[in-house]
Structures are given as C-alpha cells and as structure tokens.
Amino acid sequence: MSQMVFSEETHRNLLSRIPERTGREVSDWLRDLDNGPALLRFEEKVDWLRRESDLSHGYAKALVHEYDLRRAARKLG
C-alpha cells in the first residue's frame, strides 16, 4: 500500500492544487500512472512521474498515493 508521509488534510490540499499548478486534472495524472511502466514500489512510481513530468516530489508523491488508494478501492469494489 501507499507510503503516506503527510496528513490526509495535506494530501487533499496538494491534490486540489495540482490542476492549477500543472494545467492538468488529477484524473489525467492518474491515467498517466495507469499507462506508465509497471513499477512495483511506491518510490519508483514517484521517481518515474517526477522524471517524466518535471513534477515536484510532493505533488508526485500525492498523485502516487491517490493512485494507490483508488486502485485498492477498485479491488475491494
């Protein structure tokens, strides 16, 4: 599962700022992660997203955490 290092409130605040800071919706970033390389570890996904998209570490980590949360929810649903 995700390696969350910020509070839930910080996570939500980061996600809410991503569209304004990047010009792309969170769903677009999550699709990129879904279509990206099949990386196994959390930090590998963060590093890939940072390299490919020139995102800050905080935004990349928030996106990967959100991706993992939604993926886990799909498996349970």
Side-chain angles (χ1 to χ4, degrees):
M1 188 65 162
S2 286
Q3 297 178 4
M4 178 116 167
V5 294
F6 1 86
S7 70
E8 184 63 26
E9 180 182 2
T10 300
H11 174 69
R12 293 287 157 218
N13 286 336
L14 282 167
L15 286 180
S16 72
R17 290 192 304 257
I18 285 173
E20 180 183 328
R21 302 283 180 165
T22 67
R24 296 179 66 199
E25 295 298 321
V26 170
S27 59
D28 295 334
W29 290 108
L30 298 178
R31 195 170 18 264
D32 285 353
L33 282 164
D34 212 25
N35 294 327
L39 303 170
L40 301 175
R41 294 178 25 219
F42 183 87
E43 284 300 325
E44 290 175 320
K45 293 177 198 172
V46 170
D47 290 342
W48 174 80
L49 196 55
R50 289 183 67 203
R51 275 193 320 273
E52 292 297 311
S53 305
D54 198 30
L55 282 175
S56 72
H57 189 261
Y59 287 131
K61 188 172 266 194
L63 284 164
V64 172
H65 178 65
E66 186 67 17
Y67 175 79
D68 286 350
L69 286 173
R70 291 184 186 193
R71 197 168 123 220
R74 282 193 310 253
K75 285 182 180 179
L76 292 175

